[in-house]
Every structure is written in C-alpha cells, then in structure tokens.
Amino acid sequence: MDYISPKEAVLKMKRWQKDPIAAGRRHTVALKSDGTVMAVGDNKYGQCDVSGWSDVVAVAAGNVHMATNTGNAHTVGLKLDGTVAAVGWNKHDQCDVSGWRDIMAVAAAWRRTIGLKSDGTVVAVGRNSEGQCNVSGWRDIVAVAAGDWHTIGLKSDGTVMAVGNNRYRQCKVSDWGNIVAAAAGYLHTIGLKSDGTVIAVGDNKYGQCDVNGWRGIVAIAVGSTHTVGLKSDGTVAAVGWNEYGQCNVSDWSDIVAVAAGCTHTVGLKSDGTVIAVGDNEYGQCDVNGWSGIRLPGNKYLLTNKPENQ
C-alpha cells in the first residue's frame, strides 16, 4: 500500500465513510451495501433493533469494560443526509441525537455518543462526569474516537486532542504527530501514523499498548483491553487481554476492516462476509451467515459533501 501524507489521509477520511462494522460490549453491528443495518447479540435495551434503518453510511456501537455493573449498550447510525439514528440504552441521554444535522462521522462509547460535523466541530451527548463530553471548543477535527471515559479528536494536521479521564495517561496525546487514525479503549489510546506504525498511551496491564513493533498497518480498532491492527496485506495483528480468544486472529486473511468490542473481535473480508472471535455468550460472534456488507471506501458519500471538498 502507498502511504500518503497525514494531511491527505485525514482529508480522505473526511470524504469517505469507513465504519461498516462495529462491536460493542455484547453485540455486533454491520452496514450492508444497500444502506440497511444488521445486528446480533444482546438486545436487552433494544440496541439490536436496527432492522428498520435505511440510507445508513456508517455505524458505531457503545462499548464498555467488563465488570458486574456494566454491559448496557446502544447503537448509532449515520445517515446519508447527515442526520443520526440511535437505539438502545438511554439512561444518560446518549441516544438523544435526533436533532443532530450535518454530521459526517460518529463514535459511541459507554453512556455517550460523539458526532463530528462537516465544519470540523464536534458535538456530544451523554454522561459527562469526567469531562468526556467537553468537546464544544474543538475545531478542525476530521475524526473522532471514544473510550469508556475519554474522547479523542484527530485534527487535519495529524495532531490529536483528548478530554476526559486521564488516570492512566490515556489522554497524553498532545505530542503526537503524523496521525491518520485514532482509537480509544477502556484506559488506553492508540494512534496510527502515516508510515504504517502505531503508537499507544495508557494502561498496559495486559500488553494492549505493546504495538511498537507493528509495521504496515492501515487500520486500527480497540476493545476494552485489547488492540487490533489491520495490515496492508489483509492479515491482522492483535495484542492485549486474550481470556476469550479475542486476539486469536493470526490466521485471518483477506480482511479489509476490523472492529473490537469488549472481549470479541470482528473482521470484514473483501467478499463482504464477516468473521469473529472471542466471547460469544450473547451470540455477538454469530456472523458467519452475513454477506453483502459494505466495504470501506465505497463511494456512498453524504449528500452534502462534495467529492472535491
């Protein structure tokens, strides 16, 4: 794969939607090529009730670390017209996105939803007890990511911003540069650089930040305590907690997109099918029959985003 400059890469992100699969605490979501959405797994709060959605261009799923008092989740869909839909757990108003407009990317986390607007500003709803929704002053943002208690914003110059819980220094990203993608987990943050290498900050109890040796990475995903990297040859690398086999991806091939939930990992293949490993207690890995999932880079642009933007 030919690597491009951070500026070119993030502007490409601004034009294309790249989130056809998403993984939450106990459920998995996928965007079909016709703009409809599929979901499997825990549906206690209706987070899998997406069968009526249409004209969707990207999906996100709320994730949260494994603990006895966690597990509730929601699902977010970005529509072709720049509006947003959300279903699932709404105790903290994290699904109150019906009034959002001109959105070009979405992220979901435990108890909150983040939206990136076409003018580079960011909106957020949900719990803000640790300042994780304090994004109203952000500008020139081209991508967003959300961990359990912290929020990440990627700027067009390849630098990164962060707000929220910083107990394990997961928000210490101010010195990062040449970043083209970012992802956030329970207590750690990952950045993909324009040269295909990866950097990480935050809690490393399970080795989830041991990515220094990675090369040729073109996409990243982060679970609660594991990190996944998609390589340019279609293979996948993973580090971190592997209690449920969520890092057992070394035999994967022909992968074009990855997603990571709390304890499971999902891969989209170039033929539009999906594979998954990890915890399957709620059927969140039952994706073997899926097909026709939209591939990254599909030219299905938001109607208000001209290609030459």
Side-chain angles (χ1 to χ4, degrees), residues 137-149:
W138 286 6
R139 299 290 184 273
D140 201 28
I141 303 297
V142 294
V144 288
D148 278 24
W149 297 312

Side-chain angles (χ1 to χ4, degrees), residues 49-261:
D49 293 342
V50 296
S51 59
W53 287 5
S54 61
D55 295 324
V56 175
V57 295
V59 291
N63 187 30
V64 60
H65 66 285
M66 178 174 285
T68 56
N69 65 334
T70 67
N72 303 332
H74 66 296
T75 302
V76 181
L78 173 62
K79 303 198 74 175
L80 185 64
D81 62 0
T83 61
V84 180
V87 292
W89 190 47
N90 196 35
K91 181 177 179 179
H92 300 272
D93 300 326
Q94 59 265 44
C95 291
D96 292 351
V97 296
S98 60
W100 285 7
R101 298 290 184 273
D102 204 27
I103 303 297
M104 55 175 266
V106 289
W110 191 40
R111 308 186 183 199
R112 77 185 186 283
T113 302
I114 309 296
L116 171 61
K117 303 194 74 173
S118 64
D119 63 0
T121 61
V122 181
V123 292
V125 291
R127 187 177 182 182
N128 194 34
S129 59
E130 302 195 40
Q132 59 267 53
C133 289
N134 293 342
V135 296
S136 60
W138 286 6
R139 299 290 184 273
D140 201 28
I141 303 297
V142 294
V144 288
D148 278 24
W149 297 312
H150 69 296
T151 302
I152 303 297
L154 172 63
K155 301 193 72 174
S156 65
D157 63 359
T159 60
V160 181
M161 303 181 68
V163 292
N165 182 289
N166 194 35
R167 181 179 178 184
Y168 290 89
R169 300 176 64 84
Q170 62 264 42
C171 290
K172 295 295 185 181
V173 296
S174 59
D175 60 341
W176 285 8
N178 297 323
I179 303 298
V180 297
Y186 173 29
L187 297 169
H188 73 298
T189 303
I190 304 296
L192 172 61
K193 304 194 74 173
S194 59
D195 63 358
T197 61
V198 181
I199 56 178
V201 291
D203 183 32
N204 196 34
K205 179 180 179 180
Y206 298 101
Q208 61 264 47
C209 291
D210 293 344
V211 295
N212 290 340
W214 285 6
R215 299 289 184 273
I217 303 297
V218 296
I220 51 175
V222 173
S224 292
T225 51
H226 73 293
T227 301
V228 182
L230 172 61
K231 303 190 75 172
S232 59
D233 64 359
T235 61
V236 180
V239 292
W241 193 43
N242 196 34
E243 179 72 19
Y244 294 87
Q246 60 264 41
C247 292
N248 294 343
V249 296
S250 60
D251 61 342
W252 285 10
S253 61
D254 203 27
I255 303 297
V256 296
V258 287

Side-chain angles (χ1 to χ4, degrees), residues 33 253-257 267-275 287-296:
S33 57
S253 61
D254 203 27
I255 303 297
V256 296
L268 172 62
K269 303 196 76 172
S270 64
D271 63 358
T273 61
V274 181
I275 56 177
V287 297
N288 291 339
W290 287 5
S291 62
I293 306 304
R294 181 171 302 166
L295 305 180

